[in-house]
Each structure stands twice: as C-alpha cells, then as structure tokens.
Amino acid sequence: MSIDVAVRAEAELGEGPTWDHGSGTLLWVDVLRSEVHRYSPSRDEDAVLDVPQHVGAAKPRTRGGLVLNLRDGIALVDPDGTKTWLVYWARDGYRGNDAAVDPAGRLWAGTMRYDEDPGGWLVRVEPSGDAKVVVDNVRVSNGIGWSPDATAMYYVDSATRRIDVLDYDRDSGSAVNRRTVVEVDRGLPDGLCVDASGAIWVALWGGSAVRRYTPDGRLDTEIELPVGQPTACAFGGPDLTDLYVTTARSGLSGEALTELAGSVLVIGGAGEGQMSHSFAG
C-alpha cells in the first residue's frame, strides 16, 4: 500500500470524505472555513463551494445536489445552487459535525458543543424532514457506518475513546442496544467507514494513523500517516479500493504542524469499500 497526496491543502478541519459514485468525485469539507470541496481524481481538480455557516458534512442526494449538516441544522442544496432548510434547530454554542446516509436514504447527523462539553446529539433525519434524536448527551459526535448486511450501525463519540455498535433495522430506521465493540488506545477515534467485508476503518485524531478492526473488535491493520490529526476515511475510486483520509491543522504549531497537515491523503489498494448511499430527500 502506498500513501499519496490526493489534495494538497491547508484545511483547518478537513472532514467527511464521501465518494460520489454518480460523478466519480470525492466530497469533503473544511468545517471551520465553511467550505464544501469536490475533488475529481480524473481531472486532479478540487472545486470549492463556500457556505454561510460551519459545515460538518456534505452528502449527495438522489435527485442531485447536496444535503449539508450545518451549524444551525440540515440544509438542502439543489443542482441549481438554491439552498433551503430541511431541519432548523439553531442553538447558541452548538454546531453540526459528522453525518452519514443509511442504506434506506436517511441522514444521520451529529451535533456537538463548540466547547466539547456534553450536550450534543445524534439525530435521524427522514427525507420528509422529520427528525428524531437517537443518541443524546454526546460530546463529539463523529463516525457513523453500517455493516454490509445492514443489521449493525457503528458510532463514535470521540471523547469516550470507543467505537460502539447498535442493532439497526433498515425498514424502521431504529438503532438500539448500544454497546462497545472497540476500546481505542491510540489517539481519539474520529470518522469511520465500513468495508465490503464488514471491517471497521477509523481515523485516529492525535494518533497519526488509521486502523482496521474486524467486526468483533480485533485490531487487524494499522497504517501510519505523515500527519498528526487524521479525521475521517472513506473508500473511493472506480473499484472502491482507494482509502481517502481527510486531515486537520487546527491547533497545531511548531514541529507538530507537518507539511501535509490539512491535506487529503489517499492509500491505494487498502481494501474494498462499500458503495455509499445518497440522501433520498
């Protein structure tokens, strides 16, 4: 496996890589600069959409455009650029963070307090805009992913230093019986993805690595990275064998602020990913 630079950038808080199959591009965000990026490997171009608020995640929609997890709620961006609120929950001191789309096309969006005290939540958002809090009193809501058979949902609240699993039902969207599958002993678990075999890949904030865990929580692979703060990972490319990793430079200085901090890295031949899902709204 080789580690290369996909996008050389200086993102303050790069996050949320998602492979958009329809366009063959990688969506990612710089949370603190309020930017949504779309990287095209075939053209080696990284286009930037400025949005009016801090943006935790951007995901494709089945009808075109994007769904955004913003500071004050969930917004839709139509193909013509029109922006509308789907769910609005503005609260002082809070913002949206990581998000993911489940196998049925629902959006699962996390929030957090800017001071990282408890009080955030994980909410399931239907295409209609109906929203239900599934996990509350969260500190730093992060990685979300589903097993290939859509019976398990993985979830990270980074402050707990755990990857948890919940029993998931695709038809109803229920996620219950939360329990720990991995205790992380290096850095903090951040964004994650689940590969085609059901293994969990997680970026280790402050740990300079990504790890692969088997579904029963056994550490299987560890890949050292030339950055201190990898934030999230996702499989992409034509065969879904390239693992893209977003990174951050926020809070770093001196020797810790390495040359590639804030860039998007790509690890070729890391494994085989699952196709991501598009929001049905």
Side-chain angles (χ1 to χ4, degrees):
M1 290 181 289
S2 62
I3 302 172
D4 296 305
V5 180
V7 182
R8 187 173 290 272
E10 295 184 351
E12 283 297 308
L13 187 53
E15 269 285 6
T18 301
W19 185 255
D20 183 355
H21 306 277
S23 61
T25 59
L26 183 82
L27 289 165
W28 63 283
V29 302
D30 186 342
V31 178
L32 300 180
R33 288 184 173 154
S34 305
E35 294 175 347
V36 176
H37 292 248
R38 186 182 289 275
Y39 169 61
S40 172
S42 64
R43 298 191 300 271
D44 193 27
E45 293 177 357
D46 185 54
V48 181
L49 171 68
D50 293 315
V51 294
Q53 297 183 356
H54 287 168
V55 54
K59 307 297 174 184
R61 297 165 61 194
T62 56
R63 65 186 65 184
L66 301 171
V67 59
L68 308 180
N69 190 15
L70 293 174
R71 184 193 65 202
D72 293 343
I74 307 302
L76 302 177
V77 181
D78 291 335
D80 66 2
T82 302
K83 301 177 182 68
T84 56
W85 287 109
L86 180 65
V87 186
Y88 188 77
W89 53 48
R91 291 179 63 181
D92 287 344
Y94 288 78
R95 69 169 175 84
N97 206 44
D98 205 358
V101 178
D102 74 8
R106 307 176 187 91
L107 182 72
W108 294 70
T111 70
M112 58 177 285
R113 290 175 55 101
Y114 277 97
D115 60 14
E116 299 185 10
D117 280 348
W121 60 88
L122 175 68
V123 63
R124 183 183 69 231
V125 180
E126 303 287 345
S128 64
D130 291 341
K132 178 179 175 57
V133 174
V134 178
V135 181
D136 59 9
N137 207 35
V138 172
R139 289 185 64 181
V140 185
S141 188
N142 261 314
I144 310 160
W146 289 267
S147 62
D149 65 2
T151 62
M153 186 180 91
Y154 299 97
Y155 177 61
V156 167
D157 176 355
S158 292
T160 67
R161 302 179 70 103
R162 303 191 314 255
I163 302 173
D164 292 340
V165 62
L166 299 92
D167 298 326
Y168 169 76
D169 181 79
R170 173 178 176 150
D171 292 337
S172 67
S174 70
V176 297
N177 190 25
R178 181 182 176 188
R179 58 208 182 271
T180 299
V181 66
V182 174
E183 296 274 2
V184 175
D185 60 1
R186 177 177 181 174
L188 295 175
D190 202 325
L192 63 76
C193 65
V194 183
D195 68 21
S197 69
I200 310 150
W201 291 80
V202 63
L204 302 178
W205 173 275
S208 303
V210 291
R211 281 180 171 179
R212 180 183 191 265
Y213 291 94
T214 61
D216 61 2
R218 177 177 57 86
L219 177 59
D220 176 74
T221 303
E222 184 172 79
I223 302 174
E224 301 281 344
L225 299 174
V227 292
Q229 294 178 164
T231 59
C233 52
F235 281 95
D239 301 319
L240 296 178
T241 56
D242 297 327
L243 186 71
Y244 287 92
V245 183
T246 48
T247 72
R249 60 194 290 116
S250 177
L252 297 178
S253 61
E255 293 183 359
L257 186 58
T258 59
E259 178 186 358
L260 296 179
S263 293
V264 180
L265 308 179
V266 59
I267 305 168
E272 182 182 353
Q274 302 184 75
M275 287 189 65
S276 61
H277 305 283
S278 297
F279 182 57

